[in-house]
Amino acid sequence: MDEQILGLAPGAFDKLDGDEDEIFYAPARLVCHIDDGAIAALTGFYRTILPAGGVLLDLMSSWVSHLPAEIAYAQVIGHGMNAEELAANPRFSRWFVQNLNRDLRLPLADRSIDAAMICVSIQYLQQPLAVLREAARVLRPGAPLVIGFSNRCFWTKAVAIWRALDDAGHAALVEHYLRHAGFAAIETHTLAEWVEDQSDPMTAVVGRAPSR
Ligand SMILES: C[S@@+](CC[C@H](N)C(=O)[O-])C[C@H]1O[C@@H](n2cnc3c(N)ncnc32)[C@H](O)[C@@H]1O
C-alpha cells in the first residue's frame, strides 16, 4: 500500500466522492483550470526543461498541454480520462484513455520517453507511487518528470492528504512521492506567486528518472 510505504495515515488517499472516476470525467471540460499568468509561467518552464525534438508524455491531460507553441517535439503522447478533451488537443500525436486509479500499467515501452508532465492533476492519484514508478519505467534514465500544481482542484476528487495540506505541504508531498518512486535530483520551482483574487500560484516539482 502506498500509504504505508509513504508513512501516511490510513485513509490518506480517500476521496469525498468515492464513485468511479469515469462518472466525474464523463462530461468534456474544454476549459483552462489555471489563469493565464500561471499557464505562461509553466509554458516558460517547459521551454527550458523539455527537450526540443524529444518524445513527450503528458499524463492526466486534457485539450491543452501548455507547451511552447514554437517548439516541435518528435511526438507528444497524451493521456487522460475524457476522449473528447484528448481528441481536441492540437499537440498530441496520439493519446489514450486510462483510469490510473484502477489500471496502473502504462501501455508504453521501457525507456521510450524523453520527458513527462503531470499538470494540475497529481492530487487525484490514489496510488501515486505505483503511477510514478510506471513513469520512471517508461522514461529514459535522467529524463525529467515535471509535476505542476496550483491551489485549485476538484475538491471532492482530491485525496485526503492533499486536502489537508497548504501549498508548501503540497510541494513537500510531491517531493516525497518522487523520492519514494526512485527519482533523483528532485527540485521544487516556484513559477508564479499567489496573489489573492488576482493571480494563481504555479509550482513545479521535477525529478529525474533513475538509471537502472
Ligand atoms: C484539472 S484536469 C487537468 C488537465 C490538464 N492536465 C490541464 O493542465 O488542464 C485533471 C485531469 O486529471 C486527469 N485524471 C483525474 N483522475 C484521473 C484518473 N483516475 N486516471 C487518470 N487521469 C485522471 C483527467 O485527465 C483530468 O483531465
Side-chain angles (χ1 to χ4, degrees):
M1 289 289 288
D2 283 7
E3 288 158 1
Q4 286 167 346
I5 300 168
L6 290 164
L8 300 175
F13 295 116
D14 288 355
K15 296 177 174 182
L16 296 173
D17 175 353
D19 289 344
E20 291 292 337
D21 289 341
E22 280 80 0
I23 298 170
F24 185 84
Y25 293 102
R29 295 179 174 86
L30 301 174
V31 299
C32 285
H33 299 282
I34 41 178
D35 70 16
D36 290 348
I39 291 172
L42 183 65
T43 300
F45 187 64
Y46 281 169
R47 188 175 283 115
T48 67
I49 196 161
L50 304 178
V55 177
L56 307 188
L57 172 62
D58 190 9
L59 285 169
M60 308 187 79
S61 188
S62 179
W63 68 290
V64 281
S65 288
H66 317 301
L67 293 169
E70 77 286 3
I71 298 184
Y73 302 96
Q75 280 190 70
V76 182
I77 303 168
H79 154 267
M81 286 292 285
N82 184 287
E84 186 181 339
E85 292 174 6
L86 299 171
N89 190 316
R91 298 305 299 256
F92 290 160
S93 322
R94 59 190 172 98
W95 51 266
F96 60 99
V97 172
Q98 183 173 327
N99 182 344
L100 290 176
N101 287 331
R102 196 179 50 229
D103 305 323
L104 298 169
R105 178 92 182 167
L106 295 174
L108 298 165
D110 294 359
R111 303 178 177 211
S112 57
I113 304 293
D114 296 306
M117 306 83 80
I118 298 176
C119 179
V120 294
S121 303
I122 188 74
Q123 61 270 23
Y124 307 119
L125 289 178
Q126 293 180 285
Q127 297 178 74
L129 275 190
V131 172
L132 296 189
R133 284 179 179 148
E134 269 294 278
R137 177 183 67 76
V138 304
L139 284 165
R140 299 187 206 286
L145 169 60
V146 183
I147 300 179
F149 55 87
S150 189
N151 63 354
R152 300 202 225 167
C153 68
F154 299 131
W155 190 252
T156 61
K157 281 292 178 185
V159 295
I161 184 67
W162 191 270
R163 286 184 276 116
L165 294 171
D166 61 9
D167 290 353
H170 293 153
L173 182 70
V174 174
E175 290 182 8
H176 192 54
Y177 288 173
L178 285 167
R179 200 171 301 115
H180 278 269
F183 283 82
I186 297 162
E187 290 180 353
T188 292
H189 302 259
T190 301
L191 305 180
E193 299 281 356
W194 180 61
V195 181
E196 191 168 4
D197 297 330
Q198 284 186 44
S199 61
D200 290 343
M202 175 52 65
T203 301
V205 184
V206 182
R208 298 276 170 177
S211 46
R212 287 166 295 262

